[in-house]
């Protein structure tokens, strides 16, 4: 359990994240996204968040990426994958990149973040029971709100996917 | 047993977030933009879990729960919007979706 494992998963995650952004084909981008999620799940396991790693794979890799692939194949936008940059967009991206590198450089130069020794006590998130306890005591209201959010999202998707006759549809 | 430092996790999280951010800025395919957005969400969850683990609290981990829920709802609604858009305009390239411009 050397940092080698961390670096392995970090490299996998970053490389596949670059793959998501740089891939011309949307299907390949979705596959890279899947790989990226696997890498992040591996990092979660190293952080003793086993439940979250499992949920990430279940919700993201299982549901979200499948949905993405389904929509990509449904829309079938092959042959129109131009990779041209807009000038203004490139300029703003370069500015953002510069700011980001400056911020990262300052962060690294500042030294280590204050944190107690992580190995002094085991991971709190390793067991299942504390999650259930927290969710049903401290975070009871947010859980209810999430339930309503999901309900509203479901209603919204149903309304959106009904065919509405617009002026452009009538032609 | 954890050997990587908190700094390394935070830097990784920032780098992932940045990659997603540039994906949103530079790509023109709406689906890929949406995927990059999800990438940014995942990067933020990584930061939360790392901070939570190193400070022996559970709050960050529980927060990731909620982020996962919101992301799932967001993907459902967003993809429905993209499909509706494609039905109306027959394109999902952002530079062709400019009817609000003029």
């Amino acid at each position: 359990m050397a940092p080698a494992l961390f670096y392995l998963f970090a490299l996998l995650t970053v490389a596949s994240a670059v793959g998501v952004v740089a891939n011309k084909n949307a299907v390949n981008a979705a596959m890279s996204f899947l790989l990226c999620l696997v890498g992040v799940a591996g990092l979660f396991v190293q952080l003793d968040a086993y439940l979250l790693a499992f949920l990430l794979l279940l919700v993201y890799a299982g549901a979200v990426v499948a949905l993405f692939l389904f929509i990509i194949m449904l829309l079938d936008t092959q042959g129109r994958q131009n990779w041209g940059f807009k000038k203004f967009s490139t300029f703003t991206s370069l500015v953002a990149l510069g700011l980001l590198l400056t911020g990262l450089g300052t962060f690294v130069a500042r030294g280590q973040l204050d944190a107690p020794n992580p190995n002094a006590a085991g991971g709190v998130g390793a067991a299942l029971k504390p999650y259930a306890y927290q969710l049903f005591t401290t975070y009871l209201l947010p859980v209810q709100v999430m339930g309503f959010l999901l309900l509203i999202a479901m209603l919204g998707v149903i309304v959106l996917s009904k065919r509405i006759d617009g002026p452009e549809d009538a032609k | 047993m954890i050997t990587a430092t908190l700094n390394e996790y935070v830097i990784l999280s920032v780098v992932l977030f940045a990659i997603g951010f540039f994906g949103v800025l530079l790509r023109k395919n709406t689906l890929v933009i949406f995927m990059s957005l999800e990438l940014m969400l995942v990067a933020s969850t990584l930061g939360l879990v790392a901070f939570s683990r190193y400070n022996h609290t559970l709050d960050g981990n529980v927060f990731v729960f909620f982020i996962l829920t919101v992301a799932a709802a967001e993907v459902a609604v967003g993809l429905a919007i993209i499909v509706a858009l494609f039905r109306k305009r027959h394109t999902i390239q952002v530079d062709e979706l400019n009817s609000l411009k003029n």
Side-chain angles (χ1 to χ4, degrees):
Chain A
M1 287 292 283
L5 211 54
F6 168 79
Y7 285 119
L8 183 76
F9 277 106
L11 205 69
L12 172 75
T13 312
V14 170
S16 48
V18 171
V20 173
V21 173
N23 236 315
K24 271 189 173 184
N25 194 336
V27 177
N28 290 350
M31 284 304 168
S32 291
F33 187 49
L34 192 62
L35 209 60
C36 181
L37 290 173
V38 170
V40 173
L43 289 169
F44 277 9
V45 167
Q46 286 177 54
L47 287 167
D48 291 338
Y50 306 116
L51 179 70
L52 289 179
F54 178 68
L55 276 182
L56 191 82
L57 285 183
L58 206 70
V59 173
Y60 261 103
V64 169
V65 174
L67 206 60
F68 264 113
L69 280 173
F70 187 66
I71 298 296
I72 289 168
M73 287 167 188
L74 191 74
L75 297 189
D76 188 29
T77 54
Q78 301 290 328
R80 275 196 282 175
Q81 295 139 355
N82 46 344
W83 222 137
F85 293 134
K86 264 184 266 176
K87 263 213 179 93
F88 186 68
S89 190
T90 315
F91 173 69
T92 45
S93 304
L94 282 177
V95 171
L97 184 68
L99 286 174
L100 204 81
L101 285 179
T102 317
L104 209 59
T106 339
F107 178 70
V108 172
R110 191 183 149 279
Q112 294 292 317
L113 283 170
D114 296 327
N117 179 15
N119 298 315
V124 195
L128 197 56
K129 208 172 170 183
Y131 283 102
Y133 187 75
Q134 289 279 311
L135 281 177
F136 282 98
T137 52
T138 318
Y139 295 98
L140 187 56
L141 182 66
V143 169
Q144 302 285 335
V145 172
M146 282 301 145
F148 273 105
L149 179 83
L150 284 175
L151 178 70
I152 293 165
M154 189 185 79
L155 289 178
V157 170
I158 292 172
V159 171
L160 273 174
S161 49
K162 278 174 76 174
R163 183 172 278 281
I164 304 163
D165 286 329
E168 285 176 66
D169 260 3
K171 62 188 170 186
Chain B
M1 183 69 183
I2 284 192
T3 41
T5 60
L6 180 56
N7 262 30
E8 287 169 323
Y9 278 104
V10 173
I11 289 171
L12 176 65
S13 164
V14 169
V15 167
L16 272 185
F17 191 90
I19 292 171
F21 177 68
F22 288 116
V24 172
L25 269 183
L26 293 174
R27 289 307 298 263
K28 288 177 178 173
N29 190 333
T30 318
L31 282 166
V32 180
I33 289 178
F34 205 47
M35 239 182 279
S36 306
L37 234 128
E38 294 300 314
L39 196 64
M40 286 158 78
L41 271 178
V42 171
S44 69
T45 63
L46 183 62
L48 276 173
V49 172
F51 273 115
S52 188
R53 173 66 183 85
Y54 278 83
N55 288 303
H56 304 297
T57 60
L58 199 63
D59 298 321
N61 284 11
V62 174
F63 210 74
V64 171
F65 253 91
F66 296 126
I67 292 182
L68 279 179
T69 320
V70 171
E74 181 208 328
V75 165
V77 176
L79 286 179
I81 289 175
I82 290 176
V83 169
L85 204 62
F86 186 78
R87 271 204 206 138
K88 256 194 168 348
R89 309 291 305 271
H90 301 289
T91 179
I92 52 166
Q93 304 294 117
V94 278
D95 45 356
E96 292 168 33
L97 299 171
N98 54 3
S99 58
L100 281 180
K101 206 172 178 180
N102 303 313

